[in-house]
Amino acid sequence: MPSPLGLFSVFLAWTAGTWATDHNLPFMEYLDVERLVCLKWGFADMQGNITFQLAVNTTGWVGFGLSPRGDMNDADIVMGGLGPTGSYFSDYYSPEEGQPLMDKDQSYTLLSMIENDGQTIMTFQRSIKNCDEKDFQITAQPIKLIYAYGTSDDIRYHGSFRGTKEVNLLNHKTRTTPPDAKFLSVIVNNITVPANKTYYHCKVMKLPELPTKHHIYQVEPEIDHHEVVHHMLLYHCPSFVKEPYDKRCYKGDIGDACFGVVASWGVGGGTYELPENTGIPIGGVDSDRFYRLEIHYNNPQMKEGIIDSSGLKLYYTDQLRQHDVGILTTGVLPVSRMPYKIPPEAPQFHTYGICNTSLFSQLVNPIPDLQVFSVLLHTHLAGRKVRVGHFREGKQIDFLGVNENYDFDMQEIVNLGSIKTVKPDDEIIVECTYSTADRTEATLMGLSTTDEMCLAFLFYYPAIDITSCTSRPNSSLLLDTVYDLAEYQSLLNTLPQVQYISDASSKAFVYRNGMVREVMETPTAACNNKNAASRLSTSWVAKAAGITLPLLWIAIM
């Protein structure tokens, strides 16, 4: 008998239009065109468990699987339902051209099985990393999901009640653009890209007037020259920016003050769609605001004659969503008079940027809990790893982002497995790991591709007026001497961190006594072949009348 709390949670999770009502199951896909089979899922981190919730419009048995090719061959399958004497559930594997067999190692755990209003809702869990050779390995690549179901609890051949759909479980991106969708194109127009290794171009402009508030729900890159366009950022400007321009960035122009991120794209990324209950606000009281489009061109061959008209396509709607989204820039302040040098010939070196959210109250009050759902991590060529630690009362409680195999040419917005709550007074620490083993000169923190950055753009709701929260170690306190690598790393880690908080009006607050806390090791999952799935399931299956496996799912797909 499911607990009242479990019933209540499932009811909330399946209320229409609530993409993130259950913070533990933020992702959803219909697996069939008739929308009779709905899958929700979520995970806390890549090394832990993944939880699924399958809802099917039937009161019979339901089945779900992971398949190499979208059919039954070598598929990893679970089947279950709610019969006359209770719930049944088991983990199966399907040998090539054979019937499903019960897996010796029951790697899936049944969390709840509910029938409600003609629908069966099966919630279950497994380890993302699993050493059972009969289980399908879940990775950050698209996976073919299969499903089948029957009209009774007598598990027999499903007939036409089956299907398949390819989904990326660990980096899910929905695509729901209607054919009549409205969009704004924010692009540069036929600019000449100089024959420089690094060039930043900025266009300060107004967007077409929207007299009422709208929500951006999808950002799509429009790229002319993939070989040189490295990343693009659209910022909103403070009210004192009142004139457009179209030229090289960071030459002392007033538009340099535009740093409230509205939209972003990095090389290797694609179209990004926000969760269906969130949107980035534009228009209305801000309809007179200027925006700055910044494009970073990386041209290592210093090619001449490149004429570019790249930018971003912003899909928007006047059907306002539940939450306004903000994007918070965290990490190491990119440009400062305080030098930040990464030593040469270092196989591994760490930099840290900190953000103490208690300082937000110096500019904005009150501060709500911030619900973080996506992150874009950013370094340059020497970057190897990026981790975003989340601390509360001085202790790390979570990661807001981890990439242990950072690739300069693969920078994309990543949906977190579950929504992370950042409370007032929490701290965020961005750690970047670099390798300069092939460099003979020190690497500076700066804008050039051959310089380095250490940034994490956090997508969250509800939006507040804080736009960035970055820091740098106070390197002016270092002595003018030569340090060995370990000593230099230790000194930088213990120097006071100068924190910079800024808001949408370009007001800033500086705090000079921040400290770097130690970031925990990234959790790793050991092989987990033992599972408690049987406590709710296998004993029932063994005695359930009418359960038969012959012809089960034969010729699926």
Side-chain angles (χ1 to χ4, degrees), residues 68-94:
R69 294 174 292 276
D71 56 18
M72 282 291 294
N73 293 335
D74 298 320
D76 180 15
I77 302 163
V78 293
M79 290 183 284
L82 190 62
T85 60
S87 62
Y88 56 95
F89 176 88
S90 284
D91 176 8
Y92 298 84
Y93 69 95
S94 180

Side-chain angles (χ1 to χ4, degrees), residues 2 29 126 151 193 296 316 355 366 488:
E29 280 281 354
R126 62 160 273 190
T151 56
V193 179
H296 175 192
Y316 67 96
C355 171
Y488 180 60

Side-chain angles (χ1 to χ4, degrees), residues 237-383:
C237 298
S239 58
F240 57 77
V241 178
K242 299 182 180 296
E243 296 294 333
Y245 65 77
D246 195 357
K247 57 184 177 180
R248 182 190 294 267
C249 302
Y250 305 119
K251 302 298 290 185
D253 296 289
I254 194 169
D256 291 351
C258 306
F259 267 110
V261 178
V262 176
S264 61
W265 174 86
V267 62
T271 300
Y272 177 69
E273 184 171 353
L274 283 89
E276 66 183 23
N277 67 337
T278 68
I280 300 168
I282 56 169
V285 295
D286 294 326
S287 61
D288 203 38
R289 170 178 274 174
F290 278 83
Y291 293 80
R292 175 166 67 91
L293 174 65
E294 171 189 304
I295 302 181
H296 175 192
Y297 294 95
N298 181 35
N299 187 10
Q301 284 79 40
M302 296 193 294
K303 294 179 181 178
E304 297 181 348
I306 298 175
I307 308 298
D308 189 66
S309 296
S310 296
L312 299 170
K313 184 180 287 186
L314 311 176
Y315 290 87
Y316 67 96
T317 177
D318 58 2
Q319 301 298 308
L320 296 183
R321 298 179 169 200
Q322 183 178 359
H323 301 292
D324 286 349
V325 167
I327 303 174
L328 178 66
T329 303
T330 63
V332 177
L333 182 69
V335 179
S336 170
R337 293 180 180 177
M338 293 183 297
Y340 199 157
K341 296 180 180 180
I342 301 171
E345 301 178 350
Q348 181 173 282
F349 191 82
H350 303 295
T351 65
Y352 296 90
I354 71 173
C355 171
N356 190 331
T357 63
S358 67
L359 302 176
F360 290 0
S361 61
Q362 299 295 323
L363 299 174
V364 175
N365 212 11
I367 301 294
D369 289 353
L370 305 181
Q371 311 297 336
V372 180
F373 58 86
S374 292
V375 63
L376 173 63
L377 306 176
H378 180 69
T379 79
H380 286 173
L381 292 167

